[in-house]
Amino acid sequence: MVYVKQFRCFNCGRTHSPEAVRDMAIMRCMDCNSAIDVEYDYGSIKKTILKDDFMRSAPTHWKYWAFLPVNDLSKIISMGEGGTPLLEVARLTPAGTSARILIKNEGVNPTGSFKDRGSALEVTKAMESGKGTLVLASTGNMGASVAAYSAFAGLRCRVYVPEFASSQKVSQMKAHGAEIIRTNGDYSQAMQMAEDYVRSHPDTFLTGDYPWRSEGTKTVAYEIVDQMYFHVPDYIFIPIGNGTLMWGVYEGLRDLISIGIIDRMPQLVGVQAQGCNPVVHAWESKSHSITAIHNPQTIATAISCGDPIQGLGALAAIINTRGNGVEVTDEEILKARDELALCGIFTEPSGAVAYAGFLSMHKKMQHEMKDKTIVCLATGHGLKDMYGL
Ligand SMILES: *Cc1c(COP(=O)(O)O)cnc(C)c1O
């Protein structure tokens, strides 16, 4: 059962039918080439989901299948993604406040990052399409994740990797048999090469920060609310690289509001590294477009995306929830990483960016945040990139 009604362009608003999108090599707007958003038939979903059963059964990625665009549930590709713990760590509560800090530990996904949520859906869609090779550009985690899920499904995988990608992550891709193409430039150039390759090779399926990935990613938002017994936290802190995670969290919450399972949005706070801050910069300067940054500089390589594909989505998520955009220095990121590790939660630098963003915002807004419930997404496992340890 697929409850997708249509797709709408983030930029120009043009709508596209599901059939038109199915036949696209690259899922972008036919008029202006921008990212497109999926719209669902909530009326039908509401009839399918029995609220009491939904609220009683344990949170796992595929529990939310009615919100996922899968044709045949018996053919999903799953390696046990999602269902990650939401950990309350009292020691992280800043002194003198009664804020509750919850860490959603996405590092425990099958390949060590939240990317597995999107990959499970993308590889499932690739199987539906009948194509044999998945192609993508990745700074590391997405490549490792798609490589693993492709190998599991018996498909080939080709990854374009910018030069700064961590060697552990490239090893992870290689171990799963992916073909690696090292590029000399940054992530945006790697992405261009992946798109060019797919255009000229019909048996390939492009994965990356396109609609299926954010659809798969949004289950992290359902899980957070579910794990809080359908209470809504006051803030969710989210790192922004390409913006797919941030947009996915927003979409997930919007879905739950649309079918009446929750009645308000948390404030979504997007966090970027100071050396790669195009979305936060747009937010601070009240701009509705995003200016790309060339040669971004940060040790948080997983969020080093100077020209974020889903940047407008991330910006909309901040604006529509009256949220915030925060930037943090590499030093603050490493400090946050060490602090989480001393509480037993080991993340790579990018995995600690959300918590670093919380610490930074809390310094300035202590009063407003003093008894709030705060969720920080810890996005990737520490073993993936042990910078400075
Ligand atoms: C991909 C990634 C991010 C950023 O997610 P986007 O969807 O690109 O914004 C953050 N942290 C880690 C560990 C990642 O792998």
Side-chain angles (χ1 to χ4, degrees):
M1 219 72 76
V2 182
Y3 298 112
V4 174
K5 245 183 2 198
Q6 61 183 8
F7 295 74
R8 186 184 300 275
C9 176
F10 275 101
N11 181 43
C12 72
R14 170 169 176 174
T15 57
H16 302 70
S17 71
E19 295 72 32
V21 170
R22 191 192 54 212
D23 296 334
M24 288 178 179
I26 295 160
M27 291 173 72
R28 289 179 187 268
C29 178
M30 285 188 220
D31 281 345
C32 71
N33 208 35
S34 297
I36 49 178
D37 179 24
V38 190
E39 296 185 347
Y40 287 86
D41 170 8
Y42 289 117
S44 300
I45 293 179
K46 221 168 173 169
K47 285 186 216 131
T48 310
I49 290 186
L50 299 171
K51 194 166 170 184
D52 284 0
D53 288 349
F54 186 81
M55 292 173 90
R56 263 196 300 267
S57 65
T60 64
H61 180 78
W62 291 101
K63 165 179 171 181
Y64 315 103
W65 60 269
F67 297 108
L68 297 171
V70 172
N71 289 344
D72 181 348
L73 285 172
S74 71
K75 297 200 175 132
I76 57 174
I77 302 296
S78 174
M79 294 205 291
E81 56 287 338
T84 60
L86 184 66
L87 304 168
E88 180 154 10
V89 191
R91 267 188 297 147
L92 295 177
T93 304
T97 79
S98 51
R100 272 182 86 195
I101 316 283
L102 299 155
I103 306 288
K104 180 72 168 158
N105 189 11
E106 289 289 294
V108 305
N109 272 296
T111 75
S113 81
F114 77 92
K115 297 290 196 302
D116 293 342
R117 297 178 183 272
S119 303
L121 182 60
E122 280 184 328
V123 176
T124 297
K125 296 305 283 180
M127 293 293 276
E128 283 179 7
S129 78
K131 305 221 162 131
T133 303
L134 286 105
V135 178
L136 74 157
S138 169
T139 64
N141 285 338
M142 198 193 290
S145 177
V146 174
Y149 278 78
S150 307
F152 184 67
L155 300 173
R156 285 181 298 278
C157 180
R158 181 180 175 95
V159 194
Y160 291 84
V161 182
E163 48 193 347
F164 61 78
S166 101
S167 64
Q168 288 99 317
K169 294 177 186 176
V170 177
S171 304
Q172 205 180 350
M173 298 174 209
K174 277 193 191 140
H176 295 302
E179 189 182 346
I180 317 268
I181 294 95
R182 285 262 187 191
T183 68
N184 294 325
D186 63 8
Y187 175 80
S188 305
Q189 279 162 288
M191 196 182 74
Q192 196 56 54
M193 291 167 79
E195 291 193 359
D196 289 346
Y197 185 84
V198 168
R199 267 192 211 96
S200 55
H201 293 77
D203 186 42
T204 58
F205 187 93
L206 182 66
T207 67
D209 293 280
Y210 307 96
W212 297 148
R213 178 157 291 275
S214 54
E215 292 313 291
T217 303
K218 68 189 182 177
T219 61
V220 70
Y222 308 142
E223 283 180 18
I224 290 170
V225 172
D226 207 330
Q227 287 168 314
M228 294 179 67
Y229 303 98
F230 296 94
H231 290 286
V232 178
D234 297 297
Y235 296 94
I236 304 180
F237 283 77
I238 306 160
I240 302 175
N242 265 320
T244 298
L245 175 60
M246 179 108 187
W247 175 247
V249 169
Y250 176 78
E251 275 193 289
L253 295 163
R254 183 185 67 179
D255 288 347
L256 294 183
I257 287 179
S258 300
I259 65 160
I261 285 195
I262 57 172
D263 60 6
R264 69 179 178 93
M265 276 278 176
Q267 285 180 272
L268 299 185
V269 183
V271 189
Q272 292 195 295
Q274 203 169 59
C276 183
N277 64 351
V279 177
V280 173
H281 183 259
W283 157 252
E284 282 172 347
S285 48
K286 301 196 165 36
S287 161
H288 285 267
S289 62
I290 286 162
T291 311
I293 286 177
H294 299 288
N295 290 318
Q297 297 297 330
T298 172
I299 48 108
T301 54
I303 55 167
S304 185
C305 309
D307 189 9
I309 311 185
Q310 197 54 276
L312 288 178
L315 187 59
I318 298 177
I319 294 170
N320 297 350
T321 64
R322 291 173 299 104
N324 204 350
V326 175
E327 61 182 57
V328 289
T329 62
D330 282 358
E331 201 183 342
E332 288 175 298
I333 294 169
L334 292 176
K335 194 156 167 278
R337 189 264 319 260
D338 295 348
E339 214 175 298
L340 287 174
L342 288 173
C343 291
I345 301 168
F346 193 23
T347 68
E348 62 176 293
S350 302
V353 162
Y355 178 59
F358 161 70
L359 292 176
S360 164
M361 184 163 143
H362 185 264
K363 265 190 227 150
K364 292 168 203 140
M365 295 180 51
Q366 260 188 45
H367 188 67
E368 289 93 323
M369 298 177 83
K370 100 175 163 349
D371 50 351
K372 301 294 192 220
T373 301
I374 290 130
V375 174
C376 296
L377 297 187
T379 44
H381 200 286
L383 293 174
K384 279 178 166 273
D385 180 352
M386 293 192 267
Y387 185 93
L389 291 173

